[in-house]
Amino acid sequence: MAEWLRTFRQGIAIENPLTVLMIGLCATLAVSTLVQGALFMGLAVVFVLTMSNIIIAVFRSVIPHEVRIPVFIVVIASFVTIVDLTMHAFLPEIYQFLGIWIPLIVVNCLILGRAEAFAYHNRVSLAIADGLGMGIGYWLVIVALAMIRELLGTGRIVMFERTLIALPAGYAPPGLVLLFPGAFIIFGLMIAASRWLGERTERRKERC
Amino acid sequence: MAKSLRLVIAVVVTCVVAATGLALAYGATKDRIADQERRAEQESLAAVLPEADSFEPVAEDVLAAAQDAAGDADCSAIYEALDSSGALIGWGLRVSGRGYGGPINVVLGLDSTGKVTGVTILSMSETPGLGTKVQSEPWFLEQFTELPAAFATEDVRALDSISGSTKSSRGVRAAVEGAGRVYAEVLQARAGGEQ
């Protein structure tokens, strides 16, 4: 159980896929302009990552080493297509916004990376912990990034046609925040902040 | 030999299982997806031609001629707008123009004189908050209804763009220009013929 929790926590903080491993950034920067979209993008990644980790860990002893990559890709692509069809049927507006980024989860190196580096060598329960941990780690960061970008870039955060927070009316949102350069700058600041927090807790531990 | 056979079997079994799963997922969502798309299009048509009672797709050959006339604006559907007595009052066209992030699909209503009754955006992949201003700033789409009847490309070019959304504005304008060509070359003659 302790090992399970450690693996789970690893993905959220110590080895966060976005701020520490820095994989799967392309889609993250592209869809983090709206909190609502980022929320479902994160959810899709959690689902695909956990499900493909489970399948690969269950069948790891029968998947031959030489053809493991094609098998991983087929498994991942199937789950992504299921997410794609489900979103298209039930959440048309969000599907519209996420567009090409949903099918592109297939080639997101985060998912294939975890299949190869973790699920293929570990038992199912740990693969679930890794999938959930990494997925939720991704989710938290992409939603946080989207909150900053939507608030600063449009002056308000809108979810399901309801305004959650709005900046004062006099605020003129800089368009840069919504474009890629703005995404890189804000994401860089987030990495710096998480490093600083990490080092501070490290130092506290040493003092104790 | 036995080794390579094992590799083949592993990949084939994976693909068969995956394909079965996908077929099931597709079957479960297919109707809903088609339904969503139909409803989105019907809603757009009703929004641009509020006076129409029903919409009928035009014949294949008319659509083919319209596609030639529209050129880059890719006219993918034309509906005849009928009032409650079944008389033709205009057309709903689905056209598209190239924006910044991909095609902007537009549904546009024309009355029988070729005047724009309304424009809505069916789908687009423009930058949220910048390119999407073509939808969120109402004056932009409304200005097309001020075009003269049977408008020409020059009339559309004279309209305003949104600063910061130049390419997105141009995409919507290109779609409207295409609709103008479709009216001039295909629909105008049909309006005369049936009156």
Side-chain angles (χ1 to χ4, degrees):
Chain A
M1 195 60 205
E3 201 185 355
W4 197 93
L5 274 178
R6 208 186 55 225
T7 311
F8 178 71
R9 266 205 304 261
Q10 191 106 9
I12 296 180
I14 308 155
E15 275 185 20
N16 186 294
L18 290 177
T19 57
V20 182
L21 302 181
M22 293 184 213
I23 49 179
L25 286 185
C26 182
T28 307
L29 298 184
V31 304
S32 59
T33 50
L34 285 181
V35 176
Q36 192 180 327
L39 208 64
F40 282 94
M41 180 71 185
L43 198 61
V45 168
V46 173
F47 174 79
V48 173
L49 190 54
T50 311
M51 292 308 286
S52 66
N53 264 10
I54 292 174
I55 298 288
I56 287 158
V58 168
F59 295 106
R60 68 185 188 282
S61 56
V62 294
I63 300 173
H65 190 258
E66 293 84 347
V67 293
R68 66 189 190 288
I69 301 292
V71 171
F72 294 168
I73 290 287
V74 170
V75 170
I76 295 165
S78 308
F79 284 115
V80 170
T81 311
I82 290 170
V83 169
D84 189 75
L85 290 170
T86 314
M87 275 203 181
H88 197 173
F90 295 97
L91 298 160
E93 266 166 45
I94 288 153
Y95 181 78
Q96 186 95 57
F97 169 74
L98 291 176
I100 188 68
W101 298 106
I102 289 291
L104 282 182
I105 296 175
V106 177
V107 288
N108 193 317
C109 40
L110 167 58
I111 319 257
L112 185 64
R114 293 327 288 171
E116 165 79 5
F118 197 92
Y120 195 53
H121 306 288
N122 286 283
R123 57 173 199 271
V124 184
S125 59
L126 285 183
I128 296 176
D130 181 70
L132 286 177
M134 284 281 166
I136 292 171
Y138 178 90
W139 199 4
L140 290 175
V141 174
I142 194 176
V143 169
L145 183 59
M147 281 171 122
I148 299 173
R149 288 180 72 193
E150 190 178 353
L151 189 65
L152 296 182
T154 65
R156 61 175 69 86
I157 293 180
V158 180
M159 288 258 282
F160 299 106
E161 291 163 17
R162 215 174 300 155
T163 305
L164 296 184
I165 315 170
L167 292 175
Y171 176 76
L176 176 71
V177 177
L178 294 173
L179 295 172
F180 273 98
F184 272 110
I185 293 166
I186 292 171
F187 188 62
L189 293 174
M190 279 178 71
I191 294 172
S194 74
R195 282 279 160 87
W196 179 74
L197 270 175
E199 272 174 25
R200 211 181 57 163
T201 41
E202 199 88 326
R203 254 182 277 128
R204 276 210 190 139
K205 263 189 212 155
E206 278 167 21
R207 235 179 277 152
C208 291
Chain B
M1 188 61 208
K3 171 98 183 155
S4 56
L5 194 66
R6 209 167 80 87
L7 301 185
V8 172
I9 291 171
V11 176
V12 168
V13 169
T14 315
C15 290
V16 168
V17 173
T20 316
L22 289 184
L24 291 176
Y26 178 72
T29 52
K30 173 177 63 153
D31 295 341
R32 254 195 99 94
I33 290 173
D35 200 49
Q36 292 285 5
E37 282 175 351
R38 207 174 317 116
R39 199 178 325 150
E41 188 166 77
Q42 287 296 325
E43 274 170 17
S44 308
L45 284 171
V48 296
L49 287 155
E51 281 155 36
D53 210 56
S54 63
F55 297 96
E56 292 289 329
V58 295
E60 295 268 319
D61 59 315
V62 179
L63 184 59
Q67 267 156 357
D68 286 342
D72 286 343
D74 186 33
C75 182
S76 50
I78 302 181
Y79 294 88
E80 285 183 339
L82 308 172
D83 66 10
S84 49
S85 66
L88 181 72
I89 57 165
W91 294 273
L93 286 79
R94 193 169 69 205
V95 278
S96 78
R98 200 186 307 146
Y100 182 77
I104 303 176
N105 294 310
V106 162
V107 169
L108 177 139
L110 289 173
D111 69 10
S112 50
T113 65
K115 199 167 160 50
V116 177
T117 57
V119 180
T120 63
I121 289 169
L122 192 61
S123 65
M124 62 176 167
S125 26
E126 300 305 287
T127 316
L130 277 176
T132 50
K133 279 187 191 165
V134 296
Q135 190 166 32
S136 59
E137 302 220 346
W139 65 266
F140 179 74
L141 291 179
E142 278 163 17
Q143 67 177 347
F144 292 106
T145 59
E146 285 153 27
L147 287 168
F151 57 92
T153 303
E154 293 73 52
D155 298 320
V156 182
R157 296 231 166 116
L159 294 174
D160 288 335
S161 289
I162 299 176
S163 59
S165 322
T166 313
K167 286 207 80 171
S168 311
S169 307
R170 207 178 288 161
V172 177
R173 284 208 313 247
V176 176
E177 284 167 18
R181 289 196 297 273
V182 170
Y183 180 80
E185 290 176 33
V186 183
L187 300 177
Q188 193 160 25
R190 291 176 60 81
E194 290 187 25
Q195 264 163 10

